[in-house]
Every structure is written in C-alpha cells, then in structure tokens.
Amino acid sequence: MSNAREKKHAKKMRNQPTNVTLTSGFGITDEKGVKHHNGNEKSFHYQKQEPHAGAAQHQQPKSTHVSSEPCMNEQPSKGHCKGEKGKGQAGWRGGHQGATREIPKYITASTFAQARAAEINAMLKAVTQKSSNSLVFQTLPRHMRRRAMSHNVKRLPRRLREIAQKEAEKTEHQKKEHSKNKCRKARRCHLNLLLEFNRRQKKNVWLETHIWHAKRFHMVKKWGYCIGESPTVKSYRASYRAMTNHCLLQDLSYYCCLELNGKEEEILKALSRMCSIDTGLTFAAVHCLSGKRQGSLVLYRADKYPEEMLGPITFIWKSEDGTITTPINRKLWLWTHPTLKQDILTELKVVCQCVPLPEVAASIPEVVLTPPEEKSHIEQTKNCKKRKRDDGEKNANNPVKKIVGDGTRNPFQPYSWTSPATGIVISDLTMEMNRYRLIGPLSHSILTEALKTASLYTGIGDAETLPHSWWIETCKNPDRVAVHHHQEAIFELLGGIASPAEIPAGTILGLTVGDPRVNLPQKKSKALPNLEKCQDNEKVRQLRLEGVPVECSHSFIWNQDICKSVTENKISEKELNQMRSELMVPGSQLNLGHRESKIPILLIQQPGKVTGEDRLGWGSGWDILLPKGWGMAFWIPFIYRGARVGGLKEGLIHSRYKGAPSIPDDYPDCPAGILFATEQENNLLEKYKRHPPAKRPNYVKHGTLSPFRCPWEQLTRDWESRIKAQEESPVSPCSSANGKSDTGKEDTCVVEGEQVPQLTCETEALQDSPGEPEEMMDTDSQGATMSRDTTDEDICGKNGGRAKSTFNVLRNRKLLKYLSAWCQPVGRRNQAVLRASRMHQQELTRATCLSILCSYPRSLVWVSLSLLRKGNPELHTMICIPSKEDFLRLNEDRLYCGPQESKHSDPFKAKARKQKEKKKTEKGQKQERGTAGESRCTKGCSEVIPGLWLGPLPNITDHCSRTLLGFVTQGDFSLAAGCGRALGFVSLTGLLEMLSSQPADKRGLVLLRTPASLQYRFASIIIDI
Amino acid sequence: MAENGEPWGASEAELDPVEYTLRKRLPHRLPRRPNDIYVNMKTDFKAQLARCQKLLEGSGGARGQGGCPEIYIHGLGLAINRAINIALQLQAGSFGALQVAANTSTVELVDELEPETNTREPLTRTRNNSAIHIRVFRVTPK
C-alpha cells in the first residue's frame, strides 16, 4: 500500500510545474540569472507559491535537516536582501509555520537559493529513485499497459521511453555476462562437450561413470577425484537390503594400483621390511604367492613396526604361467586407497632403492597432449567465425580424445621407477583399470547373466585385417584354449552358487569376455538365480572347498599391451547403435562375429564378515577389474540386471556392518587418518559455530572435553601415567585395581598416588572374600609377587626407550586373540567355548597384563560394541568403565538403562560473558587500546567458543564420574543387528585394567555416552579377530 | 538363514591353534522359494511362529487369497528342535486343518582353516550336521 502511495506521489511530483524542476539549476546559475528569472515571473510565482508551500510542508519530515541546517548557518551571515525578500520570507514561513523562531531580518539570496536548490535536489532524488525493483512498464497503470511492452519500447508512453530503453540495455548487458559464448546447440555438440568435460576434470579426475553418477548422485570432490557420495533418491534401507538380499554395485575405480615387477625373492625381501608376520599373513603367504588368492595386510614404514603405520592394502600376485617354465619376473599389484598412495609409493621407492625411469616418462600416452590443442582451438574460435569451420575440419582429422584414465597426470612426471640394485620396477597404474564392486548374494547371477565368455576364434587366414590380433594368437595356442575353457566352466558354475560367501575368501578368477553391450536386455530386469544351475554336484563342491585352481586365475589384464589394444579397439557406442538399427529384425540379438571385442577381466572374491560369531559372510561379493575405457560398457549391463548403485556412504555402511575399519577414517595412526581427523574436526566445528549458543549443546556442561576429535594421544598418555601412579603405590597390584574402581564409585576426580593406598587398604579386606572368582585369586597372588620384580625394570626400560610420544594401534594377532577371549563374559553358556579356547590361551593375570603393557605402552585396540538395551551411539561417543555400583543396579533391575552423568559447571561462562561485553563496548567506543588488549588476551588462549572446552585439555580419563576408556569412530543403529552398534578404539592399558577388575560374569561390559547427552548406556565389548 | 549353532566338535582338539584359525562358513543355500522358512535360534520363537501362520493364512483381507497351501520349515543343527516345535504348534492351533510331514537330511558344512604362518596353505574341512525339513500343508476337511 505504502509503496503504491509513494509511487503515486512520485508521479505527482514528476508532473509538477516546470519551475520546480528548473530551480534545480538555481544553485548553479549565477546571481544575475536568478534575479533576471525572478523578475520575469514574479507575479506568477506569488500565485503559485502557496500550494507549493503546502506540498513542501508535507514533505517536511523527510527533508528537515537538509533544509534547516543551511538556514541556520546562513542566518548570521550578512548579505543583501532586496527584491526577493518578500518571496523568501513567504517561502520561509511556509516551511516553518509551526516553529517558534525569530524571523530573520534579512537573508542572503545566493546562499538561500543554494540551500533551496539542495533541498529541491534531495526531493527530486527521492522522487526519481525507485523504491521497488520493478521495471518502468510494470509501474504503469493497467489501462495504459500494452501487449509486448517489454519487447518494444515504442509501445510505452513517450515520457517513459528513455528510462525503459536504459533498463532494457542494462538487462541485456547483464545477460551477456552470464551467458556462454556459444549457443546451446554448439555447446552440446559432441566435440565441444568433450573439450568442456576434459577441462572440467583437470583438477579432480572423473571416473568413467562420472556422467552417469552426476545425474543420480550427490557428487563430492575428494582425494583428487569426483566421487558419488550417495544417491539423490532415498535409499538408506534399500541399499542395506541390496547388500543383504540382492546386489549393490559400487565404482571403486578411484582406488590406486601400484605394480611391482621383478624377481620374486627381491620383491619379497624388500617388502618384508614393510610388514610383519605379527599382523597376519604377509606377501609371502603360499596361497597368495601362487596367485590363487588375494591377500590383505597393513604396511608400515620400513623396519618401524609397530610404529609409523602407512595404511592397509590388498595385493595380488600374478600367477605363474604354467606353460612358461622360467618365472623369473613376477608381477605384484598393490591396491591402495588414494589418500595412502603417496606415502606408500615413496616408502616403496625407498625400500626397493628406486630411481625414476627416464624413457618411460617420455613415452606418455598421447592423450595428455590434448590440453594445449584444446586451448588453441578455443582461441581460434574466438577470433572469427570463418576460421572456426576450418578448424573443425582440422579437428575432424585429429579429433580431440576423451581423457581415458588419469588426465591429471603430468606428462613430465614419471610414473615408473626402476631400481638398478634390485631390478624391481615400480609403476603407478592409477586409473589404468576400472574396479567395480558387487556386494550381495545376487552378484553371482548378475555376473553370469551380464558377462558371456569370449567365443574362440575359428576362422583362418584373415587374421591381419581384424583388430583383435592378440586373441587370435591365443586361440592358436592349445594350452591357452584349454585354460579358457576351464575358466569358462568355472564361471558357469558360479551361477549355481547362491552366495559369494560360499567360495574361499579372496579367490581370483581370470576371464576373457565378449562385449557385454551386445546382449543387453531390452528392459531393466532383475537377474535371479537359476534353479537349473543349482545342482549340488561334485564340481560345485570342489569349487566351494578348493576355490579356483591356480591356472584359472590367469588373465590377460596383466599384460599392458593387450589392455591398450583392447581400449583402443573398442567399438564406440555410436557404431554399435548404428549396427543395431541396421538389424533385419529390430530388437534381435546383434551378432558381431569376429569383430566383437574380447575383454580380459579379473574377478576377485571379497569375503564379507569373516570375524565374529554372527552374520558370517555378510556383505561378501566380487570385485571386477576391467581395462580402462570399458567402464560404461560394463556398468550399464550390470544395472540392467538389477544391481543397485551405492556411493561412498553406502561403502561406509558396508564396512561398518562388516565390522571392518574404513579407510581413512579408522586408521588414526597413519598420516591420512590424522589428516582426515583434522578435516573432520574443522567441519564439525564450523557446523557447531553456525548455531547460536542457546541452540547447540554446551559440551562443557556435558563433561565432553573434545566432541569433534578423538584425542588418542592424550588418552594413551593419561592411561600410561595413571597406571604408573598405581604401580608406584606400595600395594599389591590386584587390590590397587579394585581400589581404583572404588574411587570411580566415589566420584573422586583425580586419582593420585597418595590417595590410592588409603582407599585400597580399606577395601582390600572387603574385596578379598566375596569379589573375585577363585581362579583369578590364586593366579593373581602368584603373579603379583612375580611382577613386582619385573615391573620396576620395565618402567625404567620404558622411560629410557620411549622417545616418541606417539600412539599406535595394536594389530598383533596373537595379543588380539587373547584380548578377544578375555573380553567374553564367563557365563553358563559360553563356558564350553572358553574352556576350549583356554587350552591354548593364557590366563588374564597381572603378569601377562604387565608383559603386554611394557611392550605396548601406548596402544589402542579396535573394538566393536553392541548395546545391551537402548541407545544409539554416534560419532565420538565416549566409552567408559562402569563402576561397581552400576553392576549392582544392573543385577537388581534388568531394565536398568545406565547411570547418568551429573551436570558439570562451565568455568568458561564468565570468561565468555566478559568477552562478549568487551566486544560490545569495543563496538560502541571503538577504542584502539581495547582491541589491542583483547587480541592479546585471545591470542594466548584462543577465542572462547561458548560450549566448548578452552585451552589444553585436563586429564581426560577422569574428567567425568566414569573413567574414560576410548572413543567411538563409527556408530549407528544397525539394521543388521537390530540394535545400536558402534566401532571404535579403546586404550589397551585401560582395557586390561578394566578387564582385570571386573567380575567374570560381567566382563567386557562398558558404558557409552554420546557427546551431547548425560545418559550412559550399557554395551558389551567384542574384539573380533 | 539356518543356524549352525552346533557346539564345537571334538575335532577341535586336533587343530593346532598356533598355525590355523578356524572360520566357519555359512551352509550351502539353495535359492529360496517364498514358502520356505529357515528357522534360527536368534529370532524370537513367537515371531517365527507368527511368520509361518501368516504365510499359511495369507495376507488378510487385502487380497483375499488363502495364502500358501503348504510351507516348508527347515531347521539345522540346534534349530531342529525349534523347527519341530513350530510345526507342531502350527498343527495344534489349526484344529486339524494342517498336517505335517517331516524329512531329515544331512547337510555338509564347510569350515575354513586360515593359516597363521606364511608357509601353510589354507585348508577346508567338512563336517556333517543333521537337518530337518518339515512340510506343513493344508488338508481339505472331508
């Protein structure tokens, strides 16, 4: 309403008599002119003045200060007031009728006129300024509007034309800035599109399925790649179901492959420095070395085990050819996550004593040469249109190639290194292959339906004219043909096996398949297991027991030349469609005959959940390796057979339900993991800061010291010092453990060396008789006397030897096995299990604990936690040790959820308030001193963020009423288990301490508390190995 | 999902735990028809019974179909007991409308022995476990 009135008013003002607009020139024109002017129109003026003055009065609120102040100033100034006196006074009066002021006796004409001019100018400005952002023709009343006014200026009333013209030009100009320099048709032209695509993936490489993903996924730029994070459709539960009952497809082409080529002994010798048999099988494991199975292990910096972890990898050895009897050079592929690649590569180079290979660096694939060409192309097209056509012709001869593989690779950067000493050649095969992962029981039927093994070449003679000469060569070799037939038979058998989990873990099957696009179904369908194939015969049994024989793991994908030729000789989608359209019977099967490509692939079985007791074999599947360029040709057929596609998030869920640590989130001791943690902390902090303090949890009050980061180092350090304090106290270790849990009960925050003995002395008598099971008792008393002697030495040794302050993650399988057994509660049900395992198992005694602790003083253990009742663990949930009282209450009440943490006080509250006030005063006064003081203050202890702990953390283990043991890194409600499940790390020291003090039937029970809650929940620790 | 909750066999003693880790594999599974029910020890008994009843009675008024004329209840190892229990409960609750016919069989289970040392090959060993397959079917009242 007000807007409309204003507009109306503006219009009225616009149509004011010309003298008003003329006065705007008054200030500029000299005095004479003014006089002259006034003299001429004096009579007219006097008549007109009155209504005008009235109008001015209405305007008064707006322009008071503009008008009045110059008047005030001019009052004392002397001047000559002659002819205009009367007129001026009249104007004056009109302006300030209500004001009780002395009427000036005289005024100066020039200054007065100037003041008026300024006034009028301001008024005019207010009038001409548009308050709304509508165009001129939109402000016209309805009856004056005409059709297509925005298009044709001449349809507007003449007085508005000029403004409309200006507006039109303005918008046109704006549009031009935003628009692309080409029309849409030109932009969508294949060649230009490709150029654009190549440009866009300079920084972050696109996978071959990028465009498919970009249409359906939320894409993220991570690790130098564009990766789909999760589908845009709702699919959390659907993808879980796909993993359990159907098939989930993932594009893992961003995984990096490093190839080691050299003598077997040399490679083994070099690599043995980077891994340890303690953590599991190494590169030298027999079944892996033969090339029959895939292996996985954790790499360390050379000779640094158990410190300085580099990252987890999987590896495959190329199987030795049965036909060739001189297997001198072996090939080994290491598959790593892109975040770990650089570290591992540099370490490999060190271990193998490698230098870059100059010749290989020069002969880089020609694909990389496209960027300069593309640049020149664009420049030329800009210059003139005529040359564009020429350029197009030129380009037709030398078309821009689509970047296949790694487009970011610098041509002058070597990707192959050789070692003169050992003869090992390391090459970086990143993006040279595609890797897809099929998860779920239906992956067998999808694979067998989508892929058909290549037909053998039977024709003779015209071998040279065909593109697939390598296949013709192999078909001439009877041994190769036999292997191919064998592989084909085994592949067919797969269709009859209901789940990939029934095949030995890590089985490798090489295969050569035909073009999967040829037998693409008309419609998307769902591949179901074929009942006819499901015969339980001897062959299937053999496959289930033994896996694939060694000779069948051979694949031509190991041969770079063949892969290159396969990539180059791919029939393009366009040609294929052309041929399809030329079929006699539309929709019938296309028969390419010998022109059909033969693609070497490698299938690797991925074991699902192998550890633990429940859901064995969950999430098992197959990885398929393809030569580059063939990504989409395999992708679409899989999807047409009913595979659901997942992104990074689904991959995370997969590893979480499997109980496996995901890369790089759950490797806090490797460089990539540390980087990830800091990034995550920053993100979470940013998100936290976006909420006002009243709308976000106050973590200080919740007793959460670091809600966005797991302070592993401090956790391990605190536990170490805590144990040391106990050791030094002159009581038997057994009772000191009991005493410690008592201190927890009494909510004492700090356990000091002096405090412990008093408490323990009191409790010793109480605890001895009812508390401990008998077996524990006698072993403890034995161990205690023994350990007293050793510990002192150990501690001395520890103090001397420990130079680094870093922590590490315990990966020693033997120890983990012990821990796993110790964590199980001794109930009636698993008594038998425990007895069976105890035959080779050490007892949990003080002595064993100490011996473990002195070799691993600062270690973390990967545990999985299962909530007993309610509770939904989150990221960074705290794992705490329950007190005796909690157990009592749990025994009394089976529905007892868990204790509550009492609210903490916020010591930073006053500080935060002070800072806020200071900021306020600063804003008001803008004192320079204040800011300096403030900055000095904040520099010292960083800015106070209300709700977060400020400055260095205090002892984190006993900040709350329950002693802190570790943190959860992944946690959620598990659809698979039907309760809250979490994965995380606990301190080894703390775990041993807890286990030895807990009653046997409640062993392994912990409390979980999410960062923004005061409620503890019971959970049981499971260590799967 | 059949439960292989059979307690560890006597063969366990022969295994050298220093050299091998035992990994049990799931039993071989045939493609599942909609009227197959695999009984396990983890799911609540009542829920499994209700599932069978639902299958037999059909999905209520929405479709108006009578449900499956027959269902197969499979139980393996420890779950045999429960499978029989479910079948008998079904029969007892049906006022003579349902009959049961049981079959027993032996299922071969595969255990994988994962080596702990580099020099050893992974082994698989098979053991047998008994299973029961109960056909619960509707008889037309005469």
Side-chain angles (χ1 to χ4, degrees), chain A residues 432-697:
Chain A
E432 292 292 299
M433 273 173 286
N434 284 303
R435 188 180 181 124
Y436 295 159
R437 177 165 287 175
L438 294 147
I439 305 163
L442 284 193
S443 47
H444 275 157
S445 19
I446 284 176
L447 277 177
T448 42
E449 272 199 35
L451 308 179
K452 293 276 169 285
T453 41
S455 53
L456 287 175
Y457 177 75
T458 46
I460 321 134
D462 56 342
E464 271 67 55
T465 58
L466 291 169
H468 314 295
S469 52
W470 64 273
W471 183 242
I472 295 163
E473 283 302 312
T474 45
C475 284
K476 281 176 186 163
N477 187 340
D479 292 334
R480 294 270 189 224
V481 173
V483 166
H484 181 70
H485 280 306
H486 198 168
Q487 286 174 343
E488 193 177 352
I490 285 174
F491 186 62
E492 287 304 315
L493 280 182
L494 278 187
I497 292 174
S499 160
E502 290 179 28
I503 293 167
T507 301
I508 297 172
L509 175 65
L511 212 57
T512 310
V513 295
D515 198 329
R517 293 172 294 177
V518 172
N519 52 8
L520 195 70
Q522 294 279 317
K523 265 179 160 181
K524 195 175 163 183
S525 58
K526 194 180 164 194
L528 286 170
N530 195 347
L531 266 172
E532 287 166 24
K533 280 183 185 170
C534 291
Q535 295 145 351
D536 203 8
N537 61 11
E538 193 53 37
K539 271 185 187 169
V540 174
R541 190 165 176 268
Q542 180 78 16
L543 181 61
R544 284 172 53 208
L545 289 182
E546 304 290 322
V548 177
V550 183
E551 66 265 23
C552 289
S553 56
H554 169 263
S555 169
F556 290 103
I557 201 169
W558 287 94
N559 190 329
Q560 294 290 302
D561 297 331
I562 288 177
C563 275
K564 208 172 171 188
S565 104
V566 166
T567 306
E568 276 165 6
N569 290 319
K570 182 187 167 196
I571 301 175
S572 73
E573 201 73 27
K574 189 186 163 196
E575 278 173 71
L576 208 71
N577 287 336
Q578 184 75 29
M579 280 187 268
R580 267 198 201 121
S581 70
E582 282 163 8
L583 277 175
M584 291 303 285
V585 184
S588 62
Q589 183 93 26
L590 192 69
N591 190 6
L592 291 174
H594 293 309
R595 287 190 58 205
E596 187 181 340
S597 313
K598 317 284 187 286
I599 307 112
I601 61 167
L602 205 63
L603 293 167
I604 305 164
Q605 198 261 5
Q606 293 296 323
K609 194 172 186 295
V610 284
T611 56
E613 293 281 308
D614 55 341
R615 290 181 291 117
L616 284 174
W618 186 89
S620 56
W622 286 90
D623 273 16
I624 172 167
L625 303 186
L626 315 166
K628 67 177 175 185
W630 281 91
M632 278 318 279
F634 280 78
W635 189 257
I636 295 295
F638 286 152
I639 286 160
Y640 267 54
R641 298 310 193 296
R644 179 175 269 276
V645 182
L648 286 177
K649 247 185 198 161
E650 281 69 31
L652 201 69
I653 290 170
H654 179 232
S655 71
R656 184 188 301 158
Y657 287 178
K658 258 186 3 178
S662 77
I663 317 168
D665 319 20
D666 298 330
Y667 288 90
D669 51 344
C670 79
I674 293 162
L675 195 73
F676 175 85
T678 46
E679 264 171 30
Q680 192 181 43
E681 189 191 1
N682 289 340
N683 288 342
L684 289 174
L685 188 65
E686 279 304 305
K687 206 177 167 191
Y688 182 77
K689 275 198 213 156
R690 279 205 294 270
H691 294 281
K695 300 280 183 292
R696 63 191 189 195

Side-chain angles (χ1 to χ4, degrees), chain A residues 282 286 502 541 544 813, chain B residues 25 28 42 108 116 118:
Chain A
T282 61
V286 188
E502 290 179 28
R541 190 165 176 268
R544 284 172 53 208
R813 283 176 65 88
Chain B
R25 249 192 244 162
H28 183 62
K42 203 164 279 174
E108 193 174 66
E116 290 283 306
N118 279 334

